[in-house]
Amino acid sequence: MAAITASGSISACDSSSSPKDVQQANSGVELPTYTKYEGVTPDWAGDDVLLDGFKEYPADPVVGVNEPPGDGTPISFITNIPGAIPPQRESNPFWTAIEEKIGSELHIEMAPNADYQTKFQTKIASGDLPDLINIPTNISDLPGLLEATCMDITEHVAGDAISKYPYLANLGPEYWKGCVANGAIYGVPVPRLFSRNFSLLTRRDLFEKAGIDPDVQPETWEELVDLCAELTDAKRGRWALTTMPSNLANMAAGVPNEWQRAADGTFTHFIEHENMAASLEAQLQLWEAGVVNPDAYTANSSTKKEWFTGGNAAIDFDSFVAWTQYESASASVEDFSVGGIIAPSYQGAEPFTWLGGALNNITGFNAASEHSVETLLAVANWFAAPFGTAEYLEKKYGTEGEQYKLDGTDPIPTDRGVLETGIGLQYICDSPMAYYFPGDPRVPERQYAVQERMSQNLSQNAAYGLYSETLDQKGGDLTSPVWDAMSQMAQGKRPISELPEVVKTWRDAGGAKAAEELAEAYEASGIE
């Protein structure tokens, strides 16, 4: 989602506060004590970063919440919806069944992904906010917005206080770190991290039809370009790639993730990296080879997904979340199968895998809500139920015989279930993703195998959890011209030799100041 500029944004701190003061206040917050859920044994084990994988759903799911967490009065929520708008509350049995489980009516105001930015801005400007608010993490002045509109839940979740909400305690410190602002915890995290790692998602079935190994992993960029050429037939309106995988090129060229801290304490952004020009050369090579859909820079994400599912493209660039969504949406399509290709090496560079962003969103509790903070936390705890629990089965799949049927112990969604369950519950709160696909253990096995390849050389954003006033106030304005310039370079519309000039403009406009603030914040954070 593009950066959102909230109307009448509120300063993250008063005029006497410096970024150093803010960071010291944030770093002084005690994060919730992490207690990983151990109620189910994975077939493929992850860790605090890597994700668990499961062949099947447990035969006897554990019931972890014995009493409805709601207080009997309606709870309202605003959220985006990644798919089609589902049947509304009055005509959606899944929705009403969830309300019975949580003990309160759930009034959800929803908008498609493409429209959520506008809807969210309108809500913030009006001040007419629901009890639970899906807050994107990249809005302008996020700390100010959180402090002005949301409950401070620090005393209820910090340290061992979180033990009252064991499913929330299953969310590690990397997730909670993103909910800290102005020296307090505002809201609960909706976790992503490794599930948001991007790779080239492939149509394995189309690869096989073309006589290509469906699990091929190119070792070099040149091999990738050749592979894409084999899958392209422009005369028939088929191109290998739905989009220009610019971040894959960054990884392939050895460009590290987002912000990095050098040994001398200075911070640099990835656009400043010495291999950034090589990444643009790699992208231009794909473009000139004619293997990227010519509308890739103008089509929206929904259109690109249609190219992939419809067979007009064999490769997309997206996350594990999207991988599972593709498999689910096309479960009835014969032989449909997705695989993953990680970044190959460009010109001998050691390729990275960029670790995905920790959060999808923060769910804030409206400070003006008539519900108690304990009630809203208990509701969030229910929706954070991890894989293998009865609550997870209910929130993801619904009721047996209605939204799903059992195949052994696996819940297989019915057409009705696919439609009715898409009401955005995963954005109230969620557990870390588990690799699992009902009825087909080959899907999580492939996902876990790609994860193992990715884990060999992970690159994390060193700025995560650090406060920069410049990035907070105008991060999107700073980078937007850079992305525009790089897109032109990747299409041969602007010489790559102009990259230093683009970077200098970015630095002069605030990039250098942001780097200084991050270095100052790092020192103030007490990180060792």
Side-chain angles (χ1 to χ4, degrees):
M1 186 182 295
I4 300 172
T5 304
S7 299
S9 85
I10 301 164
S11 175
C13 46
D14 62 44
S15 58
S16 63
S17 298
S18 68
K20 179 179 179 180
D21 294 332
V22 175
Q23 187 63 51
Q24 286 178 331
N26 290 347
S27 298
V29 174
E30 183 181 15
L31 296 177
T33 301
Y34 173 48
T35 306
K36 185 173 181 179
Y37 178 73
E38 302 288 355
V40 60
T41 301
D43 296 292
W44 301 282
D47 54 29
D48 293 348
V49 175
L50 306 182
L51 304 175
D52 293 335
F54 298 86
K55 294 180 180 179
E56 59 189 9
Y57 209 84
D60 298 305
V62 177
V63 177
V65 180
N66 294 309
E67 297 292 334
D71 57 13
T73 59
I75 297 172
S76 53
F77 176 48
I78 182 172
T79 188
N80 60 298
I81 296 293
I85 297 297
Q88 292 304 287
R89 182 173 173 273
E90 297 77 10
S91 55
N92 191 330
F94 168 77
W95 195 327
T96 54
I98 290 294
E99 291 178 334
E100 292 179 11
K101 293 295 182 181
I102 67 171
S104 285
E105 291 183 1
L106 193 57
H107 296 179
I108 305 176
E109 189 174 356
M110 56 188 75
N113 282 351
D115 301 330
Y116 190 64
Q117 174 178 342
T118 301
K119 194 172 191 72
F120 182 82
Q121 287 176 314
T122 301
K123 277 291 182 182
I124 293 297
S126 71
D128 180 21
L129 297 171
D131 301 306
L132 302 174
I133 313 164
N134 174 339
I135 303 175
T137 59
N138 56 358
I139 63 172
S140 177
D141 192 12
L142 176 63
L145 177 66
L146 290 171
E147 186 174 31
T149 61
C150 300
M151 295 180 184
D152 176 350
I153 65 173
T154 311
E155 67 176 288
H156 301 277
V157 299
D160 293 340
I162 196 67
S163 63
K164 184 177 179 181
Y165 312 101
Y167 290 162
L168 292 178
N170 181 51
L171 306 180
E174 284 300 300
Y175 304 122
W176 287 101
K177 193 186 297 183
C179 300
V180 175
N182 294 341
I185 299 174
Y186 292 98
V188 296
V190 175
R192 288 298 182 264
L193 211 62
F194 210 103
S195 64
R196 274 282 173 83
N197 275 26
F198 273 59
S199 65
L200 293 178
L201 301 184
T202 63
R203 284 284 303 271
R204 298 178 71 254
D205 51 317
L206 298 183
F207 276 45
E208 285 190 301
K209 289 179 181 177
I212 299 169
D213 177 1
D215 297 307
V216 63
Q217 171 58 57
E219 296 299 323
T220 67
W221 194 260
E222 289 70 24
E223 290 178 10
L224 175 63
V225 175
D226 291 342
L227 171 65
C228 290
E230 285 187 69
L231 295 163
T232 297
D233 188 344
K235 291 182 179 179
R236 295 187 178 183
R238 297 174 185 168
W239 288 268
L241 289 157
T242 64
T243 192
M244 175 61 75
S246 55
N247 277 347
L248 186 90
N250 292 337
M251 299 180 218
V255 177
N257 192 353
E258 199 69 13
W259 288 92
Q260 296 297 310
R261 181 177 181 270
D264 63 0
T266 58
F267 273 73
T268 57
H269 196 251
F270 77 89
I271 65 172
E272 304 175 87
H273 195 273
E274 60 183 358
N275 291 353
M276 192 61 228
S279 170
L280 291 168
E281 291 168 1
Q283 295 173 56
L284 182 59
Q285 187 176 349
L286 284 176
W287 188 257
E288 291 182 337
V291 297
V292 181
N293 189 297
D295 295 326
Y297 285 96
T298 56
N300 61 34
S301 60
S302 296
T303 298
K304 293 177 183 180
K305 290 180 183 297
E306 290 171 3
W307 294 341
F308 186 72
T309 56
N312 292 322
I315 305 175
D316 191 24
F317 184 59
D318 216 319
S319 67
F320 284 107
V321 173
W323 183 336
T324 300
Q325 289 173 342
Y326 276 138
E327 295 276 13
S328 298
S330 302
S332 61
V333 179
E334 186 177 2
D335 296 329
F336 185 97
S337 177
V338 178
I341 291 175
I342 69 170
S345 173
Y346 180 70
Q347 294 186 343
E350 182 179 6
F352 287 112
T353 291
W354 287 13
L355 184 61
L359 302 182
N360 181 81
N361 63 281
I362 298 167
T363 295
F365 302 164
N366 184 359
S369 173
E370 295 182 1
H371 297 279
S372 70
V373 63
E374 291 87 355
T375 293
L376 297 180
L377 278 169
V379 169
N381 178 70
W382 194 93
F383 284 108
F387 181 90
T389 62
E391 295 84 7
Y392 183 99
L393 186 63
E394 290 157 352
K395 70 177 180 175
K396 297 289 188 182
Y397 296 100
T399 302
E400 182 186 357
E402 295 189 26
Q403 288 81 32
Y404 71 86
K405 58 183 180 180
L406 281 179
D407 178 6
T409 61
D410 284 333
I412 308 299
T414 61
D415 290 343
R416 172 183 161 188
V418 171
L419 187 62
E420 292 179 357
T421 57
I423 62 176
L425 301 181
Q426 70 271 32
Y427 302 133
I428 293 177
C429 200
D430 207 353
S431 58
M433 178 180 172
Y435 298 128
Y436 167 72
F437 195 79
D440 191 351
R442 296 171 299 177
V443 174
E445 184 175 19
R446 287 195 295 269
Q447 292 176 321
Y448 193 84
V450 172
Q451 174 180 259
E452 284 191 313
R453 295 204 299 270
M454 285 181 166
S455 67
Q456 301 305 308
N457 199 22
L458 282 176
S459 177
Q460 302 187 40
N461 178 9
Y464 177 62
L466 300 179
Y467 178 73
S468 161
E469 184 176 19
T470 300
L471 292 179
D472 184 50
Q473 298 292 335
K474 59 178 185 178
D477 293 336
L478 273 177
T479 53
S480 183
V482 177
W483 308 151
D484 290 343
M486 288 184 172
S487 294
Q488 292 176 334
M489 293 175 189
Q491 298 171 77
K493 297 179 179 179
R494 185 170 177 175
I496 296 173
S497 60
E498 292 182 4
L499 177 62
E501 178 185 335
V502 172
V503 172
K504 182 180 185 304
T505 300
W506 169 85
R507 287 184 57 83
D508 292 344
K513 180 64 175 175
E516 292 173 4
E517 291 170 351
L518 290 173
E520 183 181 354
Y522 185 93
E523 291 302 319
S525 70
I527 299 173
E528 297 181 359

